[in-house]
Amino acid sequence: MDFTEDQILRYSRHIILPEVGGKGQAKIAGARVVIVGAGGLGCPVGYYLTAAGVGTLALIDDDTVELSNLQRQIAHSVDTIGMPKVESAKKTFNALNPDVTIVPVKVRISKDNILDLIRDYDIVVDGSDNFPTRYLINDACVMSGKPLVSGAILRFEGQVTTLIPGSGPCYRCLFEEPPPPGLVPSCQEAGVLGVLPGVIGGLQAAEVLKLILGKGEVLKGELLIYDALRTTFRKVKVPKNPSCPVCGENPSIKELIDYNEGYCAPQ
Amino acid sequence: MAEISPDKRVDIRGLVCPYTFVKAKLAIESMETGQILEILLDYDEAAKSIPKSMEAHGQQVLKVAKINDTDWVLLIRKAKE
Ligand SMILES: [Zn+2]
């Protein structure tokens, strides 16, 4: 790939890295990444991947921007309140780096559309805020063989893991079923420290770039847990479960499932 | 030492760090292993830092010479992909 003079300047701190170079930057420019959720996690993941020069970035979210989002969702602003989140984020990301093609998709993902929505992408990022979506994305990635960089946040704690179908565990190997709705914190309880998605989203973006570059080690078979109150990072080994209902030897889940609503999706 | 004829030349006069190294690195990446790159530069600091960085990246520095009041010539052999 021939870089323009502006691109050489823009990506110079990448090109200098032995693990990236011009060739790695060209890989980044050729990559196609889809982010589910343009909220707390989707904003920083998308922002950094845009800065990094990822070729095509799709954003899937059906919400609109509200004032209560702005405590943590850094791609949105008072000027974009009321606008679809995917359009608000596209505006911000385009202003940062017009090289990147941002594809805004304002739909609610379901078992009927998810496979089509992720089909044309190399890597899937889960920045969703609810269990039904998290399990749907996991199952769809297992079924279509796509690497999934998963992130989750609540209160002062966040988790990241990278799920590689075929060679590593999937989300159901960790937690077989979503918790019953009654056990999920209600909206009033579901606070989150505003900076937490920045930390977790930053880690997810780093995982995506390593997958694109084929360098380093991703969090395969490991769950990284960050505790912002204690400032601790913990890694928990997560083995592949041979009797996992979706990626095991005899999977019982062969079709996608839309879990019933009743889960709280905090705004 | 016999005169070495480079396979590729880059003129990075007028550039400062880190763009001097960025341009030199992109030039090396575009070449085949064994080929020789000639770099013409006028930023004194880069006459030291580029050979150091090239060696750190596994390339072979054949020559570092000041050719007039302002300009330097470096010869780098691509030893590693
Ligand atoms: Zn599994």
Side-chain angles (χ1 to χ4, degrees), chain B residues 4-77:
Chain B
I4 301 165
S5 65
D7 299 283
K8 184 171 181 138
R9 290 191 165 86
V10 284
D11 182 352
I12 53 172
R13 285 176 298 178
L15 293 181
V16 298
C17 291
Y19 307 110
T20 43
F21 179 60
V22 170
K23 291 272 187 164
K25 189 178 172 187
L26 286 171
I28 278 278
E29 280 189 19
S30 71
M31 296 164 62
E32 304 291 329
T33 307
Q35 288 188 321
I36 291 165
L37 173 68
E38 183 185 270
I39 305 168
L40 182 61
L41 60 97
D42 60 4
Y43 188 64
D44 287 341
E45 170 62 29
K48 289 190 215 96
S49 63
I50 291 181
K52 215 172 121 192
S53 303
M54 284 292 175
E55 279 174 346
H57 282 59
Q59 314 305 350
Q60 194 185 349
V61 179
L62 302 179
K63 181 177 158 187
V64 180
K66 189 153 193 187
I67 54 166
N68 57 41
D69 281 353
T70 54
D71 302 345
W72 295 76
V73 164
L74 314 181
L75 284 177
I76 314 286
R77 186 177 158 276

Side-chain angles (χ1 to χ4, degrees), chain A residues 132-199:
Chain A
T133 308
R134 185 171 304 281
Y135 280 81
L136 184 61
I137 296 169
N138 175 72
D139 296 354
C141 286
V142 170
M143 289 175 190
S144 54
K146 308 253 183 210
L148 168 61
V149 179
S150 177
I153 47 168
L154 185 66
R155 301 192 186 101
F156 291 91
E157 197 175 276
Q159 302 178 348
V160 193
T161 186
T162 296
L163 307 164
I164 314 281
S167 70
C170 81
Y171 201 76
R172 284 189 195 270
C173 294
L174 280 84
F175 310 106
E176 202 167 305
E177 291 286 326
L183 284 182
V184 179
S186 73
C187 280
Q188 282 100 1
E189 293 168 303
V192 61
L193 188 71
V195 70
L196 184 63
V199 177

Side-chain angles (χ1 to χ4, degrees), chain A residues 45-59:
Chain A
V45 175
Y47 223 152
Y48 273 112
L49 293 182
T50 298
V54 166
T56 305
L57 210 50
L59 308 171

Side-chain angles (χ1 to χ4, degrees), chain A:
Chain A
M1 154 170 191
D2 288 327
F3 297 105
T4 63
E5 289 301 311
D6 276 357
Q7 286 171 329
I8 291 173
L9 294 180
R10 182 185 282 273
Y11 303 120
S12 57
R13 262 61 173 191
H14 268 169
I15 294 169
I16 291 169
L17 291 169
E19 293 81 359
V20 184
K23 287 178 182 171
Q25 189 60 44
K27 281 188 191 172
I28 295 172
R32 300 176 58 86
V33 178
V34 54
I35 303 173
V36 182
L41 294 170
C43 285
V45 175
Y47 223 152
Y48 273 112
L49 293 182
T50 298
V54 166
T56 305
L57 210 50
L59 308 171
I60 306 175
D61 199 308
D62 74 334
D63 274 344
T64 51
V65 179
E66 294 179 25
L67 186 57
S68 64
N69 301 149
L70 303 186
Q71 165 252 21
R72 65 199 177 284
Q73 302 185 15
I74 57 168
H76 312 310
S77 69
V78 284
D79 293 334
T80 63
I81 288 173
M83 193 186 277
K85 283 186 181 175
V86 292
E87 295 293 345
S88 166
K90 177 182 160 76
K91 202 176 150 196
T92 304
F93 297 166
N94 279 156
L96 173 64
N97 188 352
D99 284 351
V100 178
T101 302
I102 307 290
V103 182
V105 185
K106 188 187 183 302
V107 297
R108 178 151 198 90
I109 64 162
S110 71
K111 67 180 170 61
D112 300 317
N113 64 16
I114 186 166
L115 292 172
D116 285 334
L117 291 171
I118 66 174
R119 178 166 297 132
D120 295 335
Y121 295 89
D122 311 315
I123 299 168
V124 180
V125 177
D126 183 1
S128 69
D129 59 3
N130 64 84
F131 284 101
T133 308
R134 185 171 304 281
Y135 280 81
L136 184 61
I137 296 169
N138 175 72
D139 296 354
C141 286
V142 170
M143 289 175 190
S144 54
K146 308 253 183 210
L148 168 61
V149 179
S150 177
I153 47 168
L154 185 66
R155 301 192 186 101
F156 291 91
E157 197 175 276
Q159 302 178 348
V160 193
T161 186
T162 296
L163 307 164
I164 314 281
S167 70
C170 81
Y171 201 76
R172 284 189 195 270
C173 294
L174 280 84
F175 310 106
E176 202 167 305
E177 291 286 326
L183 284 182
V184 179
S186 73
C187 280
Q188 282 100 1
E189 293 168 303
V192 61
L193 188 71
V195 70
L196 184 63
V199 177
I200 299 300
L203 290 165
Q204 286 180 282
E207 292 291 289
V208 170
L209 290 176
K210 287 185 294 173
L211 286 172
I212 294 171
L213 294 167
K215 297 288 178 184
E217 286 160 35
V218 292
L219 286 165
K220 186 176 85 173
E222 290 177 320
L223 184 69
L224 180 68
I225 302 166
Y226 169 58
D227 181 334
L229 273 184
R230 294 186 182 81
T231 319
T232 57
F233 283 94
R234 233 163 11 107
K235 264 189 187 179
V236 179
K237 293 255 181 246
V238 186
K240 194 167 155 62
N241 175 7
S243 56
C244 170
V246 67
C247 81
E249 284 149 21
N250 291 300
S252 55
I253 299 171
K254 291 169 183 154
E255 281 181 12
L256 295 171
I257 305 165
D258 279 329
Y259 288 95
N260 289 331
E261 291 304 316
Y263 291 94
C264 172
Q267 292 304 306

